[in-house]
Amino acid sequence: VNIKGNTKTRDQVIRREIRQMEAAWASTERIERSKTRMERLGYFQQVNVATPAVPGASDQIDVDYTVEERSSGNISAGFGFSQTQGLTFNASLTQNNVLGTGKRISFNFNNSDFASIYSIGYLNPYFTLDGISLGYNLSYMNTDGSQANISRYNTNESRAGFNFGIPLNETDRLRVNLDFKQTEIKTTSYSS
C-alpha cells in the first residue's frame, strides 16, 4: 500500500484509516472503504486509488492512494454594532490538522459591551489505537446585564469539559461529554 501527495499530513494519520492491509488478500470493498475514510477526514481536496499489477508477479497488486491536500485551518474576525450590545468584535482560529498530526485546536473570542467570551478547545481523534477520541474545552464568559438594559447584575461563568468518542462501527460513533460549570452572580441594590 503506497501513499503519495501528502506533503503536510503525516503518513500514520492516513494509514490508520486504511482497511486493506499489506500482504493480505485484496478486497475491493476494503480498498474503497479506505478511500472513503480518507475523504471523510476533511484534510484532502481529492483522494484517488489505483491498483496496478506488481511487475513480474501475476497474482499481486499494489494499492496506490494519491491525495491532494487542502487547507485545514480557518481564521476569521468580524465586528459590528447593535443597540443592545454596542460595538461587537469576534475572532476565531481553528486548525483541524495541527502539524499534520490529525489533532484539532480552536480559539474563540467574542467581545461586546454586554458580554466577553473566551474559549479554547482541543481534540485528539485517535487518543487510543482503537480510534477512541479525547477532547478538552475551556471557556470563560463575563456578562454585564446593565449594558443590555436588563437589570443591574454581572455574571462570571467558567466552564471546563472533556469528551470521548467511541467508534461503534465504520460509520457510527458514540460521543460522551462531561462539563463542569461555575456561575458567579454579582448583584447591586438596583438588581431585580
Side-chain angles (χ1 to χ4, degrees), residues 34-53:
S34 303
K35 178 179 183 273
T36 302
R37 290 181 64 89
M38 284 186 233
E39 291 169 337
R40 284 183 19 202
L41 288 173
Y43 310 150
F44 309 115
Q45 190 94 11
Q46 186 173 316
V47 178
N48 294 313
V49 61
T51 54

Side-chain angles (χ1 to χ4, degrees), residues 92-104:
S92 71
L93 169 68
T94 304
Q95 177 59 264
N96 291 323
N97 190 10
V98 178
L99 301 173
T101 62
K103 297 173 183 168
R104 182 174 70 210

Side-chain angles (χ1 to χ4, degrees), residues 48-67:
N48 294 313
V49 61
T51 54
V54 173
S58 60
D59 61 345
Q60 295 179 4
I61 61 169
D62 281 335
V63 181
D64 296 334
Y65 290 100
T66 305
V67 298

